Amino acid sequence: MIRRALPKDIEGIEKVAEAARAFLKANGSRQWQDGYPFRENFLRDIEKEALFVFEEDGEILGTVSLQKEEDENYAEIFEGKWLNEEPYVAVHRLAVLKQGGGVGRKLLGFAEEYARKEGFRNLRCDTTEENQVMHHLLNGLGYQRCGIIYLKRTPVHNKRVAYQKVLQKATN
C-alpha cells in the first residue's frame, strides 16, 4: 500500500534511506554519500504532505517525495532542454529498502497517478550519471533524458542528469 508518510514513520523512512545509500555506494555512486537526505528533509516533506511510503505488512519498503512547487534546481538546464515549460511534479528522494522487488516502479506509477489527480501532466526528476539502476528504471517507464542540471544545495558532486515524462490524458 502507498500512503502519505506520517511523523511516526520516520525511523522506517531513515532505514530505507540508509539501505539506498549503501546500495548506491556499493555500485560506485557518489549520490547521497554526504548523508543526504537528512532527517530534516523527510520531516519537512511530511509536514508539507509531500512524502509517501510504500508499506507492506507494517514495514516501510520504499519512499518518494512528490513536490508540486517549482524546483529551483530545474530553472537552468544544460546540454539539452525540458520537453515543455508546463507545471510539473518533481520526484525526489525515491528510495527502496531492497532492490528487485518492483517497489521503485510502483512508487513511480503512483507518482503518475498523483500528478494527474493534482492536475499536472508532467513529472521531472534527476539522478547522478553513475546511478544506472535509476536510469534503467526511468527509461523503462517512458521518461526522457532532457539534459544536465546542477544542484544548488551542494557545491561538489552536484551534476545530475535530468529527466521528464509527459503524461497522456486519462482515457475513460
Side-chain angles (χ1 to χ4, degrees):
M1 159 178 75
I2 298 174
R3 62 170 176 79
R4 276 194 204 283
L6 301 169
K8 70 176 179 72
D9 298 321
I10 195 66
E11 301 304 324
I13 292 165
E14 287 186 311
K15 181 179 173 185
V16 168
E18 190 55 42
R21 266 189 216 98
F23 176 82
L24 289 167
K25 184 176 185 176
N27 285 277
S29 178
R30 293 176 296 201
Q31 191 169 356
W32 289 16
Q33 298 309 301
D34 61 355
Y36 176 88
F38 303 103
R39 183 182 192 101
E40 297 77 32
N41 299 112
F42 292 124
L43 290 172
R44 191 173 325 113
D45 286 349
I46 291 170
E47 187 177 300
K48 292 174 14 185
E49 297 186 336
L51 192 65
F52 297 85
V53 294
F54 182 99
E55 183 181 38
E56 198 169 83
D57 298 325
E59 184 178 20
I60 294 174
L61 302 179
T63 185
V64 67
S65 177
L66 302 175
Q67 308 284 331
K68 295 187 287 186
E69 63 274 354
E70 287 193 18
D71 187 319
E72 68 175 350
N73 294 300
Y74 296 166
E76 281 188 282
I77 189 166
F78 304 89
E79 300 175 37
K81 64 179 187 172
W82 295 111
L83 302 176
N84 60 49
E85 292 303 321
E86 296 173 14
Y88 57 88
V89 170
V91 178
H92 291 306
R93 294 182 273 289
L94 176 67
V96 300
L97 189 61
K98 297 176 187 137
Q99 299 297 315
V103 174
R105 181 175 293 275
K106 289 174 185 170
L107 285 166
L108 286 172
F110 174 81
E112 291 184 28
E113 292 172 26
Y114 175 84
R116 281 190 186 96
K117 188 180 88 178
E118 295 293 321
F120 293 85
R121 66 177 211 117
N122 291 280
L123 292 163
R124 290 183 183 177
C125 63
D126 63 87
T127 191
T128 58
E129 188 69 56
E130 59 269 8
N131 189 346
Q132 292 304 307
V133 171
M134 188 66 167
H135 290 285
H136 180 75
L137 180 60
L138 293 171
N139 287 321
L141 292 173
Y143 283 75
Q144 291 183 283
R145 185 179 176 137
C146 293
I148 302 295
I149 60 107
Y150 292 89
L151 301 181
K152 307 228 183 298
R153 71 173 166 81
T154 179
V156 295
H157 310 304
N158 63 348
K159 182 179 178 180
R160 297 290 186 270
V161 179
Y163 283 88
Q164 183 174 351
K165 182 172 185 175
V166 179
L167 303 173
Q168 301 302 314
K169 293 191 186 224
T171 55
N172 294 335

